[in-house]
Amino acid sequence: MFVNKPPMGFNTWNTFAENISDEMIRETADAMVEKGLLAAGYQYLVIDDCWSKRQRDPETDKIVPDEKKFPHGMKAVSDYVHSKGLKFGMYSCAGVRTCADYPGSFGHEYLDAATFAEYGCDFLKYDYCYKPKDADGALLYRKISMALRSCGRDILLSACNWGCDDVHKWIRSTGAGMYRSTGDITDSFVSFRDIFLSQLDNFVYSAPGCFNDIDMLTVGMRNRGNVAASGCTDEEYRTEFALWCMFSAPLMLGCDVRNIDDVTLKLVTNPHLIRINQDEEGRPPFVANCCGDTKAGIYVKVMSDNELAILFCNLADDDRRMWLPLENIGIPVSSGKALRLTDVYTGEDAGAHKEYLMYRVPAHDTRMFIAKIVNA
Ligand code: GAL
């Protein structure tokens, strides 16, 4: 399947880990529709690790769902998810066991792809634990990709090898639609900051067809659930979401959307932020700082309809005055042009500016704009 925009949805892992069930998935599907998340673009509901029994069925060799968690089987869950207008995602692993020690797909790729197709699956996250040492990782992703491409259903392959083996260099050629490039996120500022910074040079390897996945969002988790750590302030969550949007990362919510709070809901459905993330040109931003300070980066993304997105992102621990000469983005004073800004967070007109932009940005916070080039 050709993935032309960063996939958007929800994944069970960050909050629920093994505490997943038929009921919880149905409630999540209901919430995604009722709270307007589907309408905002969040269409995949993905069940991560821990959904199956510990062993394959001895007769059929198939992976089978844990009947305590999913007493009606996976097809029933998938049918319910589809009945809500959502798409259904599942999880397996390139190795012999999954990371949480359930059966992996190594050596069973074609059988498992057929099983996922029977379930009515639309998305498969494919992990990297327990890979036999001598097995070639790129070949394992090619294998599952070919298995999915011949299983009779359109299934998006979401690779998850945490950035190992220079994955950005070869993953696109396998047919995957997105690829995890980092280790696991936890619910803290330091975690998302370091994940983002580790990929700063790799966002050029993210484009329509295959997007760099910097992990499921922790936005709105409020320090509850499986990857709880120190938690984040509202400003920090906003920074996280702004970075994911700006860098065209897949937007997979990880909070419990059944109980999502108003601040989080407003943030993750902000139409300007989503427009920036989903822009059809899918271009990577460039760094526009004059002094190369990556902790206080100014990023500019060229978008369709001659618009630009501009992010002033202060990941430092102190407030910063952030200065962007328009010359740095290719608009010198001699051009006679200015930038007319819309504040992405408030939706308000933020004026027309020539020569430079300058903002004081508090520690861990951001300012973000959509800009049009106009006559000065
Ligand atoms: C990790 C993966 C996580 C989650 C977990 C499940 O390898 O990075 O996102 O899927 O396995 O066990």
Side-chain angles (χ1 to χ4, degrees):
M1 132 177 342
F2 187 75
V3 180
N4 55 356
K5 293 179 179 179
M8 294 172 67
F10 161 85
N11 174 300
T12 53
W13 183 254
N14 280 4
T15 294
F16 298 95
E18 72 274 20
N19 298 316
I20 47 177
S21 68
D22 179 291
E23 195 184 6
M24 176 255 138
I25 297 297
R26 287 175 199 247
E27 286 172 5
T28 299
D30 293 347
M32 288 176 77
V33 176
E34 280 157 21
K35 295 179 193 284
L37 290 165
L38 173 61
Y42 297 89
Q43 55 170 340
Y44 290 100
L45 195 172
V46 181
I47 300 179
D48 206 282
D49 205 350
C50 311
W51 60 271
S52 78
K53 285 171 98 148
R54 291 282 179 185
Q55 304 300 336
R56 289 177 177 269
D57 182 286
E59 269 162 36
T60 62
D61 217 18
K62 284 182 166 183
I63 308 190
V64 274
D66 178 335
E67 65 264 335
K68 284 197 214 74
K69 295 173 183 167
F70 298 101
H72 313 294
M74 297 317 291
K75 180 70 169 58
V77 181
S78 156
D79 285 348
Y80 188 81
V81 168
H82 286 140
S83 77
K84 293 279 161 178
L86 293 156
K87 292 187 172 172
F88 184 59
M90 292 203 70
Y91 166 99
S92 191
C93 184
V96 289
R97 304 289 288 173
T98 71
C99 301
D101 199 21
Y102 293 81
S105 290
F106 183 83
H108 295 84
E109 291 85 357
Y110 282 79
L111 175 64
D112 291 353
T115 306
F116 290 123
E118 275 167 30
Y119 293 161
C121 204
D122 308 298
F123 177 112
L124 181 68
K125 175 171 167 182
Y126 206 59
D127 221 328
Y128 211 50
C129 284
Y130 299 103
K131 178 180 84 66
K133 268 206 187 62
D134 52 358
D136 174 341
L139 179 59
L140 293 183
Y141 280 101
R142 282 206 290 278
K143 219 179 239 183
I144 193 67
S145 174
M146 300 311 152
L148 293 174
R149 279 162 190 264
S150 56
C151 75
R153 256 191 96 80
D154 221 1
I155 302 181
L156 191 166
L157 173 58
S158 162
C160 178
N161 89 334
W162 325 296
C164 298
D165 309 331
D166 284 336
V167 63
H168 57 280
K169 293 189 181 160
W170 50 263
I171 193 66
R172 195 180 180 82
S173 68
T174 67
M178 57 194 261
Y179 70 101
R180 264 283 291 289
S181 54
T182 64
D184 289 14
I185 200 166
T186 60
D187 188 13
S188 77
F189 170 77
V190 170
S191 174
F192 80 72
R193 178 198 67 193
D194 291 351
I195 279 179
F196 163 71
L197 289 176
S198 79
Q199 289 306 299
L200 204 47
D201 291 334
N202 278 355
F203 286 109
V204 288
Y205 303 99
S206 186
C210 192
F211 291 92
N212 184 341
D213 171 12
I214 47 178
D215 211 346
M216 286 87 72
L217 292 153
T218 59
V219 173
M221 285 186 67
R222 309 240 173 250
N223 213 18
R224 285 189 299 261
N226 180 42
V227 303
S230 54
C232 292
T233 64
D234 283 348
E235 290 73 26
E236 289 167 345
Y237 281 139
R238 187 170 70 176
T239 296
E240 179 185 349
F241 195 66
L243 285 169
W244 264 235
C245 286
M246 190 68 176
F247 285 83
S248 314
L251 299 179
M252 303 301 288
L253 300 171
C255 65
D256 182 352
V257 297
R258 300 170 307 174
N259 303 313
I260 195 167
D261 60 85
D262 292 345
V263 175
T264 305
L265 187 59
K266 198 166 168 221
L267 175 66
V268 301
T269 57
N270 177 311
H272 303 295
L273 281 159
I274 295 199
R275 185 153 70 86
I276 292 168
N277 178 261
Q278 298 282 295
D279 186 69
E280 64 189 8
E281 294 193 13
R283 295 184 191 278
F286 56 87
V287 180
N289 292 37
C290 42
C291 41
D293 179 357
T294 47
K295 280 217 164 163
I298 304 173
Y299 305 105
V300 178
K301 173 174 172 163
V302 171
M303 301 204 297
S304 51
D305 294 330
N306 300 324
E307 288 182 321
L308 304 172
I310 306 177
L311 175 64
F312 293 79
C313 181
N314 185 6
L315 299 176
D317 296 329
D318 49 354
D319 295 4
R320 292 287 168 94
R321 241 168 36 140
M322 299 179 75
W323 181 58
L324 172 62
L326 299 191
E327 164 84 42
N328 286 13
I329 52 180
I331 310 176
V333 180
S334 60
S335 67
K337 303 289 179 185
L339 288 182
R340 174 159 284 287
L341 304 184
T342 302
D343 185 313
V344 160
Y345 299 143
T346 62
E348 281 164 14
D349 183 340
H353 304 257
K354 52 183 184 187
E355 216 170 314
Y356 65 90
L357 302 176
M358 184 156 67
Y359 296 96
R360 206 189 123 269
V361 186
H364 300 188
D365 206 351
T366 46
R367 295 292 309 265
M368 199 174 190
F369 304 96
I370 289 179
K372 278 254 182 223
I373 306 171
V374 296
N375 292 328

